[in-house]
Amino acid sequence: MQLSREALIRAYRQMKTIRLFEERLHDEIALGEIAGFTHLYAGQEACAVGVCEHLGPTDYIISTHRGHGHCIAKGCDVMAMMKEIYGSRDGLCKGKGGSMHIADMNVGMLGANGIVGAGAPIAVGAGITAKSNGTVSIAFSGDGACNQGTTFEAMNMAVVLKLPVIFVFENNHYSEHTGEAYAVGAESMTARSAAFGMKAIKANGIDFFSVYDAMRELIDYCKAGNGPASIELDCERFYGHFEGDPQRYRGPGELDRIREERDCLKTFRTKVTEAKLLEGAELDRVDAEVSDLIDRAVAEAKQADRPTPQDVLQDVYISY
Amino acid sequence: MQLSREALIRAYRQMKTIRLFEERLHDEIALGEIAGFTHLYAGQEACAVGVCEHLGPTDYIISTHRGHGHCIAKGCDVMAMMKEIYGSRDGLCKGKGGSMHIADMNVGMLGANGIVGAGAPIAVGAGITAKSNGTVSIAFSGDGACNQGTTFEAMNMAVVLKLPVIFVFENNHYSEHTGEAYAVGAESMTARSAAFGMKAIKANGIDFFSVYDAMRELIDYCKAGNGPASIELDCERFYGHFEGDPQRYRGPGELDRIREERDCLKTFRTKVTEAKLLEGAELDRVDAEVSDLIDRAVAEAKQADRPTPQDVLQDVYISY
Amino acid sequence: MAIKMIRDVIRDTIDEEMARDDSLIMLGEDIVGGNGAPGGPEAIGGIWGTSGGLWAKYGADRVIDTPISESAIIGAAAGAALTGKRAIAEIMFADFIGVCMDQIWNQVAKFRYMFGGKTTCPLVIRMPYGAGFNAAPQHSQVIHQFVTAMPGLKVVMPSTPGDAKGLLTQAIRDDDPVIFLEHKALYGVKGEVPDGDYVIPFGHARQVTQGDDVTILATGMMVGFAEKAAAELAQDGIGCDILDLRTTSPLDEEAILDSVERTGRLLIVDEAPPRCSFATDLSALVAQKAFASLKAPIDMVTAPHSPVPFARELESAYLPSPDKIVASAVKLMSYRRG
Amino acid sequence: MAIKMIRDVIRDTIDEEMARDDSLIMLGEDIVGGNGAPGGPEAIGGIWGTSGGLWAKYGADRVIDTPISESAIIGAAAGAALTGKRAIAEIMFADFIGVCMDQIWNQVAKFRYMFGGKTTCPLVIRMPYGAGFNAAPQHSQVIHQFVTAMPGLKVVMPSTPGDAKGLLTQAIRDDDPVIFLEHKALYGVKGEVPDGDYVIPFGHARQVTQGDDVTILATGMMVGFAEKAAAELAQDGIGCDILDLRTTSPLDEEAILDSVERTGRLLIVDEAPPRCSFATDLSALVAQKAFASLKAPIDMVTAPHSPVPFARELESAYLPSPDKIVASAVKLMSYRRG
Ligand SMILES: Cc1ncc(C[n+]2csc(CCOP(=O)(O)OP(=O)(O)O)c2C)c(N)n1
Ligand SMILES: Cc1ncc(C[n+]2csc(CCOP(=O)(O)OP(=O)(O)O)c2C)c(N)n1
Ligand SMILES: [Mg+2]
Ligand SMILES: [Mg+2]
């Protein structure tokens, strides 16, 4: 599909924002600046952005424990996200949720989720609303999450109710330390999804354009009332499962190789510059702007107001 | 497959025992003699017996809420079962479990189960033991249960662990009041099972021989170390979902038709007498013996000791 | 005032609220019935008879039959409720919370908190519960001990037709998620039901009987047992102050403490087994906040620490009963500090 | 006596028991690690480091990595345990009980009872639990309030390396199903561990400190908090009788009642939110059975009725602390009956 110059720049900016956000977190966590468990999305940017560039605020997505990329791609405020990860009371979730629970209903982002497989059923419900709005609902899941009973139930129910739900499986080949080759018993998760009675395709998760085009097709298909669909995106995660993971399950040289050969940002840059759709200088300018944004986000997050003990009992209920 | 005369009589006796057990329960329940929720198996006898005639005491089965047939087929004592359903303290479960929880580890029957979909994961564990014994483990499920997340998880895990587990789906076309056509979104549950990465076949659940032959193939396949398999058995339930169900979801004349045209006992009798494998008189003799057995079982169950309040706190633990 | 059975009150209240609010949907297994079957849809309208006629009136987009997939039912209801709908999910037996607890506990109950107070999830999870039908260990349980322990949920246990209407109306209109527990043995109970719009705010106990000797706290089917016991105790001159708590979360602490301060004796009746239960919860409240008023130990009439057994004799022995309540009250009255 | 960290005690105890009993198997996610990956298998040995080396020693038929399917993990362990194996299932975080509760509550806990006392299901479900890591609402919870409420389960919460060994050995050899709760923040705690065969029977509290003024009941990470508080209180002349209950089911009622009968004051420390909790359970026990000894209200230092918040300041404020325990004890000591 032909994208406008603006659209290309926007997509690149989104991917770059995710990348720098995550790289910076990696450094900050190593310095002990950030509490809790953090799962970095770096490497998978083309997936989140290739999906979300099609979506508006009343299209819904739900995410996973590895949620930063989805949040940024769907339009969550980067400053407020960073503050949340730092545990500030000005964070997007007032410091209550942290990395694994960033959400913003205003942009149709129904939350990162610490429970593997919990998102898909909720996306089915958002699909009920989407059906009445003429929009779509997207469940991001991993290759590990695709084995959880809740994910299967959600797929069957979405088919039964003919809902406009798209199950996006980011296959980064690992669930924590276990290979997809071990944990997914099926020939492929795509074949398995197809057998649930939905359109199921694969795309190249390190190529923004592959994801973007495939998603256009699926979104149109779902909006036309054909029921749900699924897509498997072959991709790579550049860091450990969580920050602190020594990654002994990786093959020799694996990390270097994927960073060299399977980097979605490099792939994008090469494609658009070789096709003369954008110039390198333009992309460099975006890089600088994004880098600046992330610097500001971290600086602000470090200065931001801290929560107080009285905040603990706020927002358990609307009224009680 | 060629069965001996003894084997044929035995199979018929088992099916007939189930049928008369259930018909008698139907009457007794109508008289208010039996407490609780009872789900009758009548109509599906060829499934339970066609499967279990291959099995010995260290092959395992696990059952469902509709468990009487599986229990009888696997060799649970009919007198003790009847007493259990009547809530006697001499019942197979001392009156603690009733219809929905009949079990006997001594014959490899891991229990009827009131939670739809709960059996399949447990059968996977019995499959671990079976693998080390050279036996097999069988999970009976319905067309409704096949949509429960636990069933899906169990199928994937059995494939991953290459266990000798056979998922037997008795498709009687209804889960309570809802049609299989509605609740199973997939083209078929067999196609869906196959996509999990296992051998998946169908058989005619009203024909004992179809079930029996198909199971021989699957059991050999599983014992040869090929991992799990699944089978869908097309069958009919002759009574309501539970006793008391007015069955308004049935089509006009449906019950009469299936009882006339799709009765596995009639089918069996016709086949074996036409092929001159057994004589009608021989079968009549079995009928009479079984009828007598059921009469005695009911008579004894009505007389049997009742539990006492002190029994309530027995058997919660082995020691506490 | 009409005289109705609780099962009909539930149905009619849902009907009224669906008529009132287009955004309200409901989901569950067989709540329509007969989908995909020759005799259906709507052959049944819910196995408890609590949704008859609703599919015909509001259509398949609002009255949604589901496969047997409780996690997906709660998840779907929650996802709809997060995105602008109101939802009612029916879990056919409360015992099935075991297959969908994550969606209730880690998702629905926590959304608002972990998302920083910016979301609403107006969702009612209806769960028929309780013993009395010889339905055996997996179809007879109470679960209020679990859900009351979960911050973020409100928990309702009506015991009369009138309360069922007022509390269910409140539950549906509430912006917080609500667990609405319907005792299976009470569905057939008849009583007066106010006409028109009728809302009972949560956190207000109902005074069932007044008395100065023993405070009796109860919910659901236990309320009737307590009333029977109180009638008997009255003949012996023992006055019982029975409170039907109606909601276990929020809890009407004030009414409880006021009563105990008056009577000095507390008897709690609970259908749950005794450990980490709502009975212990109430006991602890009083032992902490009305200690000085207590003239006797706090007594609890509960189920024993066992599953719910099947046989008639066993289930009767398992359940609290008016007799056991009488015995406990008599014991409390005769207590003298050592 | 060796000095070891709890995480190593867990691993070593499993190792010893696997060597001792061929029928013992274990299942969980990443308990081997690296299966199906270029660097594996056994790249890791469990994300908590509690199963390192076991796969290499006992093989893939006994140390079984699973997909992310907690219901199937518990079900598989249960099915194996019903058919002649002994099994240890690891649920990576106790918070995930929500996706497998049915298998625990309606299956494992009830088998023996509902099958008439004729089966055994020797199964240990290990669950790392608790707050202290800023792991946010879905990875920081305690769940003993739920499992203690379930008849048919035994529930263990060790707080020291020695207890971890003795109790885990008992759990593995026990013929009843056991929930074994390991506090994540205690994995790195070092202490003395008896050599050789060492079994601690269930239902026996450990006397942590002796004192005549206030009985303090605690488990898991709360025990250390209570000890810190007691040290401070001792300076003000307040003597604390701390009991580490070690198992919440069965419960050492005798030790609790004896202590309260001596001190007349009860302070319960519990990491759970306050409703229908183990704290209320203990309070109710004492209010019923040692009422006459009580000189003051029963106080509870618990988490508040909220999810576990993420930010450092919030999580600290959420958790019980030595300071809060001190304040409560002082309040109890100064109580005078109105
Ligand atoms: C129900 C549940 N089980 C286990 C976990 C622990 N866990 C967190 S992430 C993860 C692996 C998920 O793998 P995948 O779905 O492939 O996502 P990825 O990490 O690759 O993004 C596991 C096992 C969890 N959070 N929730
Ligand atoms: C987890 C759970 N959900 C719902 C039910 C209620 N229920 C009992 S049987 C049944 C239908 C099962 O259908 P199927 O699997 O086809 O078995 P069949 O009744 O046809 O034998 C339902 C919904 C249950 N017992 N457990
Ligand atoms: Mg992955
Ligand atoms: Mg069926």
Side-chain angles (χ1 to χ4, degrees), chain A residues 142-144 170-176 237:
Chain A
D143 51 289
E170 289 176 70
N171 184 355
N172 63 9
H173 314 293
Y174 295 98
S175 56
E176 297 211 337
R237 94 165 127 72

Side-chain angles (χ1 to χ4, degrees), chain C residues 275-296:
Chain C
R275 306 293 314 279
C276 300
S277 65
F278 184 53
T280 70
D281 184 81
L282 296 169
S283 171
L285 169 75
V286 169
Q288 192 173 39
K289 298 196 178 162
F291 175 74
S293 314
L294 285 171
K295 299 180 201 154

Side-chain angles (χ1 to χ4, degrees), chain B residues 143-165:
Chain B
D143 51 290
C146 79
N147 301 313
Q148 185 69 280
T150 49
T151 308
F152 294 124
E153 285 188 8
M155 290 202 288
N156 183 56
M157 196 176 295
V159 172
V160 168
L161 302 180
K162 274 212 165 210
L163 298 175
V165 179

Side-chain angles (χ1 to χ4, degrees), chain B residues 60 84 90-94 96-98 101-103 105 110-113 115 117-119 121-126 128-133 150 153-154 156-157 160-161 311-320, chain D residues 25 27 61 64-73 75-80 82-85 99 102-103 106-107 109 111-120 150-154 174-176 248-251:
Chain B
Y60 306 107
E84 183 59 30
D90 298 334
L92 201 43
C93 307
K94 298 190 188 160
K96 299 278 178 63
H101 305 289
I102 298 179
M105 301 301 135
L110 308 190
N113 205 311
I115 304 297
I122 301 168
V124 171
I128 293 173
T129 306
K131 191 177 184 178
S132 63
N133 288 349
T150 49
E153 285 188 8
N156 183 56
M157 196 176 295
V160 168
L161 302 180
D311 293 332
V312 171
L313 272 170
Q314 297 304 309
D315 296 324
V316 182
Y317 299 92
I318 297 171
S319 65
Y320 191 63
Chain D
I25 64 169
L27 300 96
D61 283 341
I64 304 174
D65 251 359
T66 70
I68 307 176
S69 306
E70 282 80 5
S71 284
I73 292 173
L82 278 179
T83 53
K85 305 281 185 195
V99 294
D102 181 73
Q103 287 290 333
N106 279 329
Q107 311 300 330
F111 283 147
R112 185 169 181 81
Y113 191 79
M114 68 187 175
F115 297 162
K118 293 172 193 158
T119 63
T120 60
M150 297 175 186
L153 300 178
K154 296 175 175 173
D174 206 288
D175 285 328
D176 287 311
T248 65
S249 178
L251 182 65

Side-chain angles (χ1 to χ4, degrees), chain B residues 24-101:
Chain B
R24 184 60 180 269
L25 280 183
H26 179 73
D27 296 340
E28 297 290 326
I29 290 166
L31 296 171
E33 292 280 342
I34 290 167
F37 293 135
T38 317
H39 306 82
L40 300 182
Y41 190 75
Q44 305 181 201
E45 293 84 352
C47 302
V49 177
V51 171
C52 293
E53 281 301 285
H54 292 291
L55 309 178
T58 57
D59 293 301
Y60 306 107
I61 71 164
I62 193 158
S63 171
T64 69
H65 57 287
R66 196 177 303 291
H68 306 164
H70 307 131
C71 293
I72 293 174
K74 194 69 188 14
C76 291
D77 182 64
V78 170
M79 306 298 265
M81 279 179 63
M82 192 63 88
K83 286 182 190 157
E84 183 59 30
I85 291 166
Y86 273 82
S88 159
R89 86 191 298 255
D90 298 334
L92 201 43
C93 307
K94 298 190 188 160
K96 299 278 178 63
S99 165
M100 263 192 287
H101 305 289

Side-chain angles (χ1 to χ4, degrees), chain C residues 145-158:
Chain C
Q145 67 276 33
F146 300 130
V147 285
T148 303
M150 297 175 186
L153 299 177
K154 296 175 176 173
V155 183
V156 185
M157 300 177 79

Side-chain angles (χ1 to χ4, degrees), chain A residues 60 62 84 90-94 96-98 101-105 110-115 117-119 121-126 128-133 150 153-154 156-157 160-161 311-320, chain C residues 25 27 61 64-73 75-85 99 102-103 106-107 109 111-121 150-154 174-177 248-251:
Chain A
Y60 306 107
I62 194 158
E84 183 58 32
D90 298 334
L92 201 43
C93 308
K94 298 190 188 160
K96 300 277 176 63
H101 305 289
I102 298 178
D104 188 349
M105 301 301 135
L110 308 189
N113 205 311
I115 304 296
I122 301 167
V124 171
I128 293 173
T129 306
K131 191 177 186 180
S132 62
N133 288 348
T150 49
E153 285 188 8
N156 183 57
M157 197 176 294
V160 168
L161 303 180
D311 293 332
V312 171
L313 273 171
Q314 296 304 310
D315 295 326
V316 181
Y317 299 91
I318 296 170
S319 65
Y320 192 63
Chain C
I25 63 170
L27 299 96
D61 283 340
I64 303 174
D65 250 1
T66 69
I68 307 177
S69 306
E70 281 80 4
S71 284
I73 292 172
L82 278 178
T83 52
K85 305 280 183 196
V99 293
D102 182 73
Q103 288 290 334
N106 279 329
Q107 311 300 329
F111 283 147
R112 185 169 180 81
Y113 191 77
M114 69 187 174
F115 297 163
K118 292 173 195 158
T119 62
T120 60
C121 187
M150 297 175 186
L153 299 177
K154 296 175 176 173
D174 206 290
D175 285 327
D176 287 310
T248 66
S249 179
L251 182 66

